[in-house]
Amino acid sequence: QNGKLVAISIKDRHSFLLALGIARLGQVQVQEGNYQSALSYLLEADKEWNSISLEWRNRVDNYGLLQLDIAWIHLKLEHLEHLQDATRRLHKAERVLLKQVHSNFVTLAYTMADLGKQVPPLAAVFCRLYLLQGVAFHYTGNRETAKEKLDWAYSVCSSLRAISSPEAISSLCEAMPGITQFQAISALRRTNGNPDQAIGILEQDEQNAFREEETRGEQRKLGLCQDTMQYVNPDLISKLQNVLDIPSPQNVASLNPQEEDMTVA
């Protein structure tokens, strides 16, 4: 998610890409209103995810978001016979998504919304999660927990929508024709609705994306570290050159990507 290359086994890599591709087909079906067809694709993607190591399922948010999609379609199609499965998937999603943020993130987001202050944009994912959990708990008869979840989702969602109104989104898209609606929403939420700052954020994002692509290209050329687990960090190569006063490192594979391993190198 930060644009850096990571080492992954060939088996996991193939399954990972296949799962993402199948899930994308399901999302296209959702956009076209074909929910039953979308559910078939998403369940197939879920099967592919099950062949990926547990480490990666817990490490990336894609798996958690897939569980949200499946649970949402079950509720959208009023599949009450799958209510238990939807609830189980929402629990999985919550476990995975909470690993992507600080332990106090959810509490902080709700407090900020309650005080009328800027809410972290990432809270939008948890709005969706708690909304779906609220509906699921309602149907299972747990009304008190359902109300807590729905109140949290409503409060945070209202705060996020207030700073990314349709008018503000439209104006930003007109000012920067090359961006998508989702990019406009993200930029507005990251700048508390300030359109000028949002434009600056979008321009910075474009520059960062270009630099990250350059770094990935250089990492591919350098290859893996000696531990075969991480890619060589190009920044450490220049530091090693300065320390040893040499034109180029003799063995970049001996480098470990962590700063504290410069001495070892």
Coordinates of all heavy atoms in Angstrom, one line a residue, residues 10 143 219 250:
I10 N 6.0 -17.6 -5.1 CA 5.3 -17.7 -6.4 C 3.9 -18.2 -6.3 O 3.0 -17.6 -6.9 CB 6.1 -18.6 -7.4 CG1 7.5 -18.0 -7.6 CG2 5.4 -18.8 -8.7 CD1 8.4 -18.8 -8.5
R143 N -30.3 -6.1 19.6 CA -30.7 -4.7 19.2 C -29.8 -3.6 19.9 O -29.5 -2.6 19.3 CB -32.1 -4.4 19.7 CG -33.2 -5.4 19.1 CD -33.2 -5.3 17.5 NE -34.0 -6.3 16.9 CZ -35.3 -6.2 16.8 NH1 -36.0 -5.2 17.2 NH2 -36.0 -7.2 16.1
Q219 N 14.5 -1.3 -7.5 CA 14.6 -2.5 -6.7 C 14.5 -3.8 -7.5 O 15.2 -4.7 -7.1 CB 13.4 -2.4 -5.7 CG 13.6 -1.5 -4.5 CD 12.4 -1.5 -3.6 OE1 11.3 -1.3 -3.9 NE2 12.7 -1.9 -2.3
Q250 N 30.1 -3.3 -4.0 CA 30.6 -4.6 -4.7 C 29.6 -5.7 -4.6 O 29.6 -6.6 -5.4 CB 31.9 -5.0 -4.0 CG 33.0 -3.9 -4.1 CD 33.3 -3.6 -5.6 OE1 33.5 -4.5 -6.4 NE2 33.3 -2.3 -5.9

